[in-house]
Amino acid sequence: MKTVYLVVSGDLRLSADQNCWATQEAVEKPVFAAVERAVQLLSSLPGISRENAEEPMRLLAEEMGLKAGQLFGILRVAVTGQTVSPPLFESMEVIGKEKVMRRLHAA
């Protein structure tokens, strides 16, 4: 069984040399576009929770031609610095909207 830790304090900086699921060249534009659109969507919400963010994010993924898991994976890495974490929206809720938004802007 693998133990996963959720970092709640501090900001994360992601680098292109991290061991992610694809090369930087292959995903750079779509990843940045996905993060940008997610930032716009999450900014419009009063808070981030599974109840109010998951469905709009699923619709965004569909609109962008992505599977929900692809978009959620991008956001998971940007927000937690991990490719595996506790459930994404619950993690975002614990981290807090302000810090989530800072991490997404920095990604």
Side-chain angles (χ1 to χ4, degrees):
M1 178 179 212
K2 183 176 181 179
T3 303
V4 178
Y5 297 96
L6 175 64
V7 178
V8 178
S9 63
D11 289 323
L12 301 174
R13 285 253 184 244
L14 300 179
S15 64
D17 62 347
Q18 281 186 301
N19 230 353
C20 293
W21 47 270
T23 65
Q24 179 183 6
E25 183 179 324
V27 298
E28 189 173 271
K29 285 185 181 181
V31 166
F32 290 131
V35 170
E36 185 177 305
R37 295 284 304 278
V39 165
Q40 292 170 354
L41 190 150
L42 293 172
S43 294
S44 70
L45 300 176
I48 300 174
S49 67
R50 185 183 58 75
E51 291 78 20
N52 72 351
E54 184 173 7
E55 187 57 32
M57 282 296 180
R58 287 184 180 280
L59 293 173
L60 175 62
E62 184 178 321
E63 180 182 315
M64 295 186 73
L66 298 171
K67 294 180 181 178
Q70 291 173 310
L71 177 60
F72 296 176
I74 292 166
L75 298 178
R76 177 173 286 106
V77 171
V79 172
T80 69
Q82 304 291 317
T83 56
V84 177
S85 73
L88 177 62
F89 297 103
E90 288 84 345
S91 297
M92 289 178 159
E93 187 172 9
V94 169
I95 292 168
K97 183 177 179 178
E98 182 180 321
K99 196 169 285 184
V100 166
M101 299 308 291
R102 248 192 346 257
R103 290 177 180 185
L104 288 173
H105 282 289

